[in-house]
């Protein structure tokens, strides 16, 4: 009996179908990317024309991810970023404006110009902080440095720390002066008042300084021994000491005569009328 010939197994078509499906899918993706890439330059130009800055920057990032931007496209994206940074600066979104300006330094074809504007903005913030601080608005000054992001950088950190320490030192000196005056320790109070070197704290302490200076002068006169060898017992105060005291009070806005009287009293002296002139003597 003759045996039938062997039957070869049927090959499955699934691998081929899977391969062709994968190729088709990849091809569709590639074609879609190529189509989208071809549309991006026109969309970028349209976003600029419509003043859609966020769209401009987003499309610029998408196009840069697909290929290197040409010089014209780089200029368009940089222009959008520059305009957006300027608007954020004008609307006092300082931190965002400064960060965008830093990014522009890296993107611009003329980084020196963008770096100069960045430094001008930073200097303006620090100047505003100092002006607020000199007015006595210490909290607002330090908040401005934080809000603008300046405290992320060394010079901003140093300025913030300097203002904070300086304000704390003046507040402590004023507190110590007030405590010493309450305990009638006039010389200690005067010493603490002399350590005040901020205009706001000096103005705040003006009334206290007047009282302490008078009390210290009165105590000194009561403790000063009589000198029988002097005709009048008066001792002139050095011009250097007196001038320093007077200038300090003039800087606080006092008139020349008020500054002279208070400076003289502060040094333990009395104003003596000598004809058309006046002197300060102990």
């Amino acid at each position: 009996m003759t045996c039938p010939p062997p039957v070869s197994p049927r090959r499955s078509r699934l691998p081929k179908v899977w391969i062709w499906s994968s190729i088709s899918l990849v091809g569709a993706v590639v074609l879609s990317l190529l189509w989208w890439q071809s549309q991006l330059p026109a969309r970028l130009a349209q976003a600029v024309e419509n003043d859609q800055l966020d769209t401009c920057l987003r499309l610029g990032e998408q196009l840069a991810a697909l290929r290197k931007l040409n010089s014209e496209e780089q200029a368009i994206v940089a222009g959008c970023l520059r305009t957006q940074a300027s608007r954020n600066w004008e609307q006092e979104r300082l931190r965002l404006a400064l960060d965008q300006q830093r990014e522009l330094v890296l993107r611009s074809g003329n980084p020196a110009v963008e770096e100069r504007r960045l430094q001008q903005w930073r200097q303006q913030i620090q100047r505003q902080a100092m002006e607020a601080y000199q007015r006595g608005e210490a909290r607002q000054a330090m908040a401005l440095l934080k809000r603008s992001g300046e405290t992320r950088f060394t010079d901003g950190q140093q300025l913030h720390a300097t203002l904070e320490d300086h304000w704390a030192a003046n507040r402590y000196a004023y507190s110590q002066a007030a405590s010493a005056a309450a305990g009638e320790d006039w010389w200690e109070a005067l010493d603490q008042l002399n350590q005040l070197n901020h205009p706001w704290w000096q103005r705040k302490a003006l009334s206290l300084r007047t009282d302490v200076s008078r009390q210290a002068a009165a105590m000194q006169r009561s403790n000063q021994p009589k000198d029988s060898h002097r005709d009048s017992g008066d001792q002139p105060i050095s011009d250097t000491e007196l001038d320093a005291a007077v200038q300090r009070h003039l800087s606080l806005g006092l008139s020349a005569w008020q500054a002279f009287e208070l400076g003289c009293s502060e040094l333990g002296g009395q104003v003596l009328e000598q004809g058309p002139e006046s002197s300060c003597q102990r």
Side-chain angles (χ1 to χ4, degrees), residues 97-111:
L98 289 169
D99 286 347
Q100 289 175 334
Q101 188 63 27
R102 289 186 180 94
E103 184 179 352
L104 190 58
V105 172
L106 301 177
R107 288 193 180 193
S108 174
N110 193 347

Side-chain angles (χ1 to χ4, degrees), residues 128-249:
Q128 289 176 348
M130 285 300 302
E131 290 171 353
Y133 182 77
Q134 290 299 320
R135 292 194 301 268
E137 301 169 0
R139 183 177 300 176
Q140 294 88 330
M142 289 182 278
L144 174 60
L145 293 173
K146 285 187 176 180
R147 180 164 54 88
S148 64
E150 281 300 288
T151 50
R152 294 176 296 172
F153 305 96
T154 302
D155 53 348
Q157 290 174 354
Q158 290 175 345
L159 179 57
H160 185 279
T162 298
L163 297 184
E164 189 173 38
D165 292 346
H166 187 253
W167 187 261
N170 276 267
R171 181 173 56 232
Y172 178 78
Y174 179 83
S175 174
Q176 291 296 102
S179 298
E184 298 186 357
D185 189 350
W186 308 116
W187 296 115
E188 173 62 21
L190 192 59
D191 180 63
Q192 292 294 331
L193 288 170
N194 288 337
Q195 295 183 39
L196 297 177
N197 56 4
H198 188 288
W200 189 87
W201 284 103
Q202 289 173 337
R203 289 192 295 272
K204 180 178 177 64
L206 189 56
S207 177
L208 178 61
R209 177 181 286 278
T210 301
D211 184 48
V212 167
S213 296
R214 288 174 179 168
Q215 295 289 352
M219 184 174 67
Q220 185 180 40
R221 286 193 298 271
S222 66
N223 293 336
Q224 186 174 6
K226 301 297 182 181
D227 189 347
S228 59
H229 297 286
R230 295 184 183 271
D231 294 333
S232 63
D234 295 333
Q235 301 179 43
I237 294 174
S238 72
D239 292 339
T240 302
E241 286 181 299
L242 183 59
D243 183 64
V246 170
Q247 291 299 323
R248 184 168 59 251
H249 293 303

Side-chain angles (χ1 to χ4, degrees), residues 83-95:
T83 302
Q84 194 172 63
S86 297
R87 291 179 183 177
N88 283 323
W89 176 261
E90 292 168 359
Q91 296 168 8
E92 297 188 357
R93 292 194 286 264
L94 305 179
R95 185 175 185 139

Side-chain angles (χ1 to χ4, degrees), residues 273-278:
E273 302 289 344
Q274 297 175 334
E277 297 183 356
S278 300

